[in-house]
Amino acid sequence: MESPDTDPNRTQGWFVTSGAFFLHFLSLGFAVFPLQTHLRQIHTTPVASILASLVPVAGLLSFFLFGFAERRQWTKHPGRLLLGAALGAGALQFLLGIQLANYQAGRNLLPGFIETAICLLMLACAHACCMNLLNHLAVANLRNHAYSARAAGSAGYMLAILATGAVLTDETMVLRYHLFLAAASALAHIAFVAASLVFLDGFSHPTKPPLEHKTSSEWIEQTNQQAPPCHSWRWKALIALVCLTSFCEGAFGLYSHQFLTTNYGDLGYYLFATCILLE
């Protein structure tokens, strides 16, 4: 979005960012909510619990991935980086579904635990990168309206939960098809991000006013002077808070499926969707 101060561009930026949030979380809802139960159907319960614990850990690994991207200067083009992360998430969701099916049929090449761990860790990192990039772009492009775009993501997650409970008639179908539904939703997300980059340029950073003819070094120096001082303890506390929140959100989404569906049946999907609606 080139100029966030004009209403048409702000509306366009909101549409693009909210649409990307919605489709990403739609894919995430299909993939993550039944995943813990799916893993326990394929692996033993202790192994499945260890594998599920890799999902929150991936949020920490994405910090190092972003450091690598910054050194490569890929973060200058966040829209392209988002498209790459979305491509990775879509491909890895499909790959994880195939890997679990092959392991259940006894067609795995490596030990099943290692294959699942590699696929799951890479998938979780791709999802974490998508989420971080979307949060960054929402704040950069929408500022005070960033939370409205995040609410569109919650709506996508809620729709995925409702669709899982309504369309897939039994638990066997849920565990068989949820990752492939997630991959199909990821394709829609990829197409949306690519179309936004090509036709709308909706993921570019807001640019400086055109009348200010300054060199890059002058512009960076002015930005640094205007930025508030950063206190190291506050930064560390923020990182710790984000890590704790990511871990709690991942654990809640993973472990709630088996509890809700075991105790409440199909109603468990609607109870979980109600919690997301309240969020």
Side-chain angles (χ1 to χ4, degrees), residues 7 32 41 47 75 83 92 109 115 122 124 187 191 198 206 224 226 269:
D7 289 339
V32 172
Q41 294 289 331
V47 170
T75 51
L83 179 60
L92 288 165
L109 298 176
E115 284 187 352
M122 292 174 64
L187 285 177
V198 173
N224 290 337
Q226 293 174 349
Y269 291 96

Side-chain angles (χ1 to χ4, degrees), residues 73-94:
Q73 298 186 345
W74 294 343
T75 51
K76 291 183 178 180
H77 305 283
R80 298 176 191 176
L81 201 59
L82 176 62
L83 179 60
L87 284 166
L92 288 165
Q93 275 170 166
F94 186 72

Side-chain angles (χ1 to χ4, degrees), residues 71-230:
R71 289 192 296 272
R72 295 278 181 169
Q73 298 186 345
W74 294 343
T75 51
K76 291 183 178 180
H77 305 283
R80 298 176 191 176
L81 201 59
L82 176 62
L83 179 60
L87 284 166
L92 288 165
Q93 275 170 166
F94 186 72
L95 183 62
L96 179 61
I98 292 176
Q99 189 276 323
L100 291 174
N102 285 341
Y103 176 65
Q104 194 170 22
R107 295 193 298 266
N108 52 300
L109 298 176
L110 300 174
F113 170 78
I114 295 176
E115 284 187 352
T116 305
I118 293 172
C119 291
L120 191 60
L121 188 60
M122 292 174 64
L123 173 60
C125 285
H127 272 301
C129 289
C130 278
M131 221 175 305
N132 288 335
L133 285 164
L134 285 170
N135 286 328
H136 167 74
L137 289 164
V139 172
N141 288 338
L142 303 180
R143 298 175 184 173
N144 294 334
H145 301 283
Y147 281 101
S148 64
R150 178 61 177 80
S154 296
Y157 198 96
M158 180 181 68
L159 181 62
I161 303 303
L162 292 174
T164 302
V167 176
L168 302 178
T169 54
D170 56 43
E171 198 66 19
T172 303
M173 289 188 65
V174 170
L175 300 182
R176 182 178 298 173
Y177 296 116
H178 76 100
L179 284 169
F180 299 105
L181 286 173
S185 301
L187 285 177
H189 181 222
I190 292 164
F192 183 85
V193 172
S196 300
L197 285 171
V198 173
F199 298 110
L200 299 177
D201 195 24
F203 291 109
S204 60
H205 280 298
T207 57
K208 59 182 182 288
L211 296 178
E212 295 186 19
H213 300 288
K214 296 181 180 180
T215 65
S216 299
S217 58
E218 290 173 339
W219 183 258
I220 293 172
E221 183 179 355
Q222 179 181 343
T223 304
N224 290 337
Q225 290 174 353
Q226 293 174 349
C230 177

Side-chain angles (χ1 to χ4, degrees), residues 21-43:
F21 259 109
F22 177 84
L23 291 171
H24 171 68
F25 276 85
L26 181 70
S27 174
L28 193 66
F30 282 123
V32 172
F33 184 53
L35 183 60
Q36 170 71 357
T37 305
H38 192 176
L39 292 174
R40 291 192 179 195
Q41 294 289 331
I42 306 297
H43 298 278

